[in-house]
Each structure stands twice: as structure tokens, then as C-alpha cells.
Amino acid sequence: MAVLRRFLWLLLVFFITFLQCFSISDQQQLPVLSSVERDSVFAVLAAVNSAVPWRRFFPDDLCSAAPHGVVCDYFYEFPNSTEPDAVHITELSFGFISDYSANPPCSSNSTIDPVLFSSFGYLRKLVFYKCFTSDVAVYLSGGDSPAFAASLEELVLVDNPSLVVSLESLFGNFTNIRRAIITGNGVYGEIPERISDSGELEEITLSRNRLTGQIPASLSKLKKLKILDLSRNFLDGYVPESIGNLSELLKLDLSSNRISGRVPESYRNLQKLEFLDLSFNRFGNFGIPKFLSEIPRLKEVHLSGNLLGGEIPEKWEKLKRLSTVGFSSMGLTGKIPPSMAVHLRSLNYLGLDGNNLEGTLPPEFEFLKTLNGLNVENNNLSGRVPFSANFCAKLEGKLRLRGNPDLCVDEELKNVKNGSVLGKIKLCQQSVITQQLFLSGCSSFMLDSVKLQSTLLMAVFWIFLLKF
């Protein structure tokens, strides 16, 4: 029995040793990164942060042990090959994002080595996150055709205010790019027409830059586009009708620009749209677009800061998913339609402040279980606040009613401690309360009192007639 155990143990050791040798020999057969490409990686790392001894920390082949953010991939010369023929750098990401994405950290004097644009012909993803933040401008000039022009799929430049480059030269001749996230940089100039040459684009985020000029109509060629965010720039002119042809669009954000004219009716074709933000532009006095009620997947709509004027539409029944409505400072008139509260069953926030709305607050809002914020400040609303103390307490300080001089509250709402301004709104007069209680049928006592008064008046009337 002992001999058998010893035999089995030796057999197990043999198989483990065999597998280890096979694995080592398999690893030894894998190609290694070329010295030229390896030196280029170290040059780029040194430009980003020269204080780190990169070569000492990573002395081995970079594709077997590389800093986070430097990614390799193996390539096969023939489709049916079982062993790779070459290995190349496919991702370079710089700038500490979080403990889960601990990319090589950038220094206060980070710069860009020109070798970046000439040595990485297989690069698919390039990321710089908060790397160029000093007062000294970092000029990005990679030429019209960097080595990775045909291979790059993702370009991410986030919060690099000292990175200066025109959008025209930045995009180069990228033909296979899918995501372009360029936000919070010193990127300037107009949006080039050739941005539409890459039919693979699914996301264009160019927010918080220094872009000028008009939005090119050629963007309608990007049939796969799902996200278009051009917010917080200096774009002007009209928005193209052709944007309505982007049938796959999920998000459209053109907020905080200088766009004028009318919101095109063609946008009714954006049937997959979930997020629409056109706020703080210069759209004209054409009213709230009627087509909003025909986009069933819409979750957020922001039109604040445009003097569109007109009344709030009555039709909301198709917008079951709508959670956020921003209609502040739009010159709106008329009343708040109760249909908003009846049909918008997913509503979380409604902003109607800074308009010319009148009438009473619809009591139906109290029955929206998802409502977490209601702002109707600085309008001409009147009458009694029709909400219960529990509802007002639930909204805490997110129920904003100030700036409506003819709005009043009952005594019970005066004592609600929720951080709101209910305590500063005037008390409703007794006559108003009596009338509203009578009309709503909320108090049988008041009804009986009124009936008694009516009976006494009729008795006096008949006595008066009998005397004469």
C-alpha cells in the first residue's frame, strides 16, 4: 500500500513538472515587444511623469509586466495561425482615476513626447485624464496622419485645461474611431466636416472646450451615433434639421451654447432618445416643441434658459419613463396642467421656476410616489398649497414655492420642519379656507353650518313676505 502511494505521488509530481515545463516553453515561444516600441513607451511615460524611474520599476518585457494603463495584444499573420507572430501596444492610459483604474499618475509638469504619434501603429485606445493642468500650455501636434490614424478606436481627453490643440488637427484622419470623449480641454476651432468620415462613431463628447462656429449638417452621416454632447462651448447658428436622421441617438446635449432659431420638428424621429438638453441657448419664441410628447423613451428633457414662451402642453400620456423636466426661465404662461402629474408616473424632478405661470398648484402632484423635487418659485401662482404635511416633509427642502405672492398655506403646513420655505408663506384667510373646504367637500361640519345659514335666511325671507 505504501509503495502504491509513493508511486502515485511520483506520478503526480511528474505531471505537475511536465505541465510547468510545457507552460514555460509555451511562454518562451510568445513574441516579445520590439525594443523600438518598448523604448517609445518609456519615453512617453517619462514625459508624463519624469519623477518615476520607469525602467527600474519595469525591467522585464512590458507585455508580461507593464504598469496599469499600458496594454499589449498579440497579432496573427494568418487567420488560422495557432501561434502569434507579433505583439504591440494597443492601449495607453495616463492619469490616476481611482484605485480600480490606477493608471500611471501625471505630474504637474506633464508634457507629450512626439514619439507618441510615430511609434504606435496598432494603438486602439489613448487616454489622458487630468494630466495637463498647469499654467503652461501643452501644444498637441501629431500631424495629419499619426501612426495610429487607422487603428485608433477610443480617444479620451478629460480635464486637461492646458492642452491646446485645434479640433481639426486633433482628429487627424481617424477612420475607425468609435468613441471621442474630449471634455474640459483647451480644444478650439470649428467642428470639422471630416469628423463624419468615420462611419463607426458611436459617441462624440466635445463638452467644456472652446469650440466655435455652427454644428455641421454632415453629422447626420454617422448612422451609428448614440451620444452627441457639444455642451458648454461657443457654438452658434441654427441646429441642423438633419440631426433628426440619427435614429440610434440616445443622448443629445447642446446646452450652454449660443444656438438660436427653432428646435427642428425633425427631432420627432429620434425615437430612441432618452436624454435631451437644449438649455441655456437662444432658441426663439416658438413655444415648447409639441413633438416631445411623441418620443416615448425620453427620460430627461431640459429646455431652461430659452425664452420659448407659450403654455405647457397638455399631452404627456406617452412619456411614462420621463423622470426629469427642466422648464425654468422660459417665459411660460398659463396654468400648470394636472395631466403632467396624472401621466408622468416616473417623474422625479419638475423645475418650472422663473416663469409667468398662474392659477393654482395641481393637487395631483402629491400622488406621484417618485417625485423628489418640485420648484415653482417666482411665478404668479395663487390659492392654497394643496399638499399634505407628510408630502411636504418628504420633499424636504426640495419643495420650492417662494416668489408667488398670492400663494398661501394652512396652519398645519406652517409647522412642517423640512428646510423649505413653507414657514415664510402667508397663511390662508379663513374665508378662503371655508370656501375651499366647502367646494372640496372635506368638512361635513362646514357643510352643515352653511345649510343651517341657508335655512335661516329662507325663514327670514318668508316672514318678510307674510308681513306684506
Side-chain angles (χ1 to χ4, degrees):
M1 192 69 177
V3 174
L4 180 60
R5 287 177 182 173
R6 181 175 178 79
F7 173 76
L8 292 174
W9 171 252
L10 290 173
L11 186 63
L12 178 61
V13 170
F14 170 78
F15 274 110
I16 292 174
T17 305
F18 174 78
L19 290 174
Q20 287 177 341
C21 293
F22 180 80
S23 174
I24 290 172
S25 104
D26 186 58
Q27 288 179 3
Q28 289 175 344
Q29 292 177 0
L30 292 175
V32 296
L33 192 66
S34 71
S35 59
V36 174
E37 200 164 347
R38 182 171 178 268
D39 289 342
S40 297
V41 173
F42 283 125
V44 175
L45 286 168
V48 169
N49 195 332
S50 59
V52 178
W54 298 106
R55 289 181 183 270
R56 188 173 44 163
F57 285 171
F58 302 96
D60 301 322
D61 177 38
L62 280 176
C63 292
S64 59
H68 191 281
V70 178
V71 179
C72 300
D73 201 359
Y74 293 95
F75 291 80
Y76 298 81
E77 185 176 355
F78 302 104
N80 296 325
S81 297
T82 57
E83 296 181 358
D85 302 290
V87 61
H88 296 287
I89 299 294
T90 55
E91 293 185 20
L92 291 173
S93 300
F94 306 105
F96 181 82
I97 298 175
S98 68
D99 292 335
Y100 301 100
S101 299
N103 299 328
C106 298
S107 65
S108 58
N109 58 349
S110 294
T111 185
I112 295 178
D113 193 300
V115 74
L116 173 66
F117 303 100
S118 59
S119 302
F120 304 104
Y122 297 85
L123 198 65
R124 297 176 188 145
K125 181 177 181 179
L126 178 60
V127 177
F128 284 102
Y129 176 76
K130 291 186 177 180
C131 284
F132 313 109
T133 58
S134 68
D135 295 333
V136 180
V138 175
Y139 294 94
L140 183 63
S141 178
D144 290 335
S145 297
F148 46 80
S151 62
L152 196 69
E153 297 178 1
E154 293 186 53
L155 177 62
V156 181
L157 305 174
V158 177
D159 290 339
N160 301 286
S162 58
L163 183 65
V164 179
V165 61
S166 72
L167 190 62
E168 174 77 26
S169 63
L170 178 62
F171 260 82
N173 292 320
F174 300 140
T175 55
N176 290 299
I177 192 166
R178 294 186 300 103
R179 298 177 67 225
I181 304 175
I182 304 166
T183 176
N185 305 286
V187 178
Y188 64 90
E190 298 186 0
I191 301 174
E193 292 282 346
R194 65 176 178 176
I195 198 174
S196 305
D197 292 343
S198 177
E200 299 301 314
L201 266 170
E202 296 179 6
E203 177 177 359
I204 299 177
T205 297
L206 305 176
S207 60
R208 297 189 292 120
N209 290 294
R210 304 173 187 172
L211 302 181
T212 56
Q214 298 188 19
I215 301 172
S218 60
L219 290 177
S220 62
K221 297 178 183 178
L222 302 173
K223 300 303 181 182
K224 296 183 180 181
L225 197 64
K226 296 180 180 179
I227 297 175
L228 179 59
D229 184 350
L230 306 177
S231 61
R232 298 181 68 176
N233 282 288
F234 302 94
L235 301 172
D236 54 25
Y238 300 160
V239 285
E241 287 268 356
S242 57
I243 297 295
N245 297 329
L246 298 174
S247 57
E248 298 297 315
L249 206 61
L250 302 176
K251 175 182 178 180
L252 177 60
D253 190 348
L254 307 178
S255 62
S256 299
N257 279 287
R258 300 169 179 174
I259 301 170
S260 57
R262 187 170 191 160
V263 181
E265 286 293 321
S266 63
Y267 288 12
R268 70 175 67 248
N269 299 325
L270 304 176
Q271 289 295 293
K272 294 184 179 181
L273 197 67
E274 297 180 2
F275 181 96
L276 176 64
D277 192 347
L278 305 177
S279 59
F280 302 104
N281 277 288
R282 301 173 181 176
F283 287 104
N285 186 16
F286 298 102
I288 296 175
K290 297 293 193 297
F291 65 77
L292 291 179
S293 63
E294 301 176 22
I295 306 179
R297 297 189 182 183
L298 203 59
K299 294 180 180 179
E300 292 191 36
V301 56
H302 302 270
L303 301 176
S304 300
N306 295 287
L307 293 178
L308 298 180
E311 299 184 355
I312 301 174
E314 292 279 352
K315 293 185 177 181
W316 299 94
E317 56 268 20
K318 293 183 180 180
L319 302 179
K320 304 296 183 183
R321 303 181 184 182
L322 193 59
S323 63
T324 304
V325 177
F327 285 174
S328 305
S329 302
M330 291 173 53
L332 299 177
T333 58
K335 299 181 178 181
I336 302 174
S339 59
M340 295 187 81
V342 172
H343 297 298
L344 301 182
R345 309 308 298 175
S346 300
L347 192 63
N348 180 265
Y349 174 78
L350 175 62
L352 299 174
D353 52 296
N355 287 292
N356 300 308
L357 298 171
E358 56 187 14
T360 58
L361 274 169
E364 289 85 355
F365 282 116
E366 179 162 354
F367 302 106
L368 289 177
K369 296 180 180 180
T370 59
L371 192 64
N372 191 42
L374 176 62
N375 189 346
V376 294
E377 288 184 333
N378 300 318
N379 279 284
N380 299 315
L381 300 175
S382 59
R384 170 181 170 270
V385 175
F387 305 135
S388 68
N390 289 337
F391 176 78
C392 296
K394 185 192 79 168
L395 263 61
E396 297 184 347
K398 297 176 182 178
L399 176 62
R400 306 181 69 87
L401 307 173
R402 287 191 297 187
N404 294 280
D406 295 327
L407 210 57
C408 65
V409 295
D410 292 343
E411 183 66 39
E412 63 171 333
L413 295 186
K414 278 284 188 180
N415 300 320
V416 175
K417 296 181 179 179
N418 65 343
S420 71
V421 294
L422 292 175
K424 298 180 181 180
I425 297 178
K426 66 181 181 182
L427 275 172
C428 297
Q429 295 180 1
Q430 189 65 29
S431 59
V432 174
I433 298 174
T434 302
Q435 182 183 18
Q436 290 183 346
L437 287 171
F438 175 76
L439 292 175
S440 62
C442 292
S443 173
S444 59
F445 174 80
M446 291 302 302
L447 287 174
D448 293 340
S449 175
V450 171
K451 288 179 181 179
L452 179 60
Q453 291 178 20
S454 300
T455 303
L456 290 174
L457 287 173
M458 288 298 295
V460 171
F461 175 74
W462 283 110
I463 291 173
F464 178 82
L465 287 178
L466 290 173
K467 286 185 178 181
F468 293 93

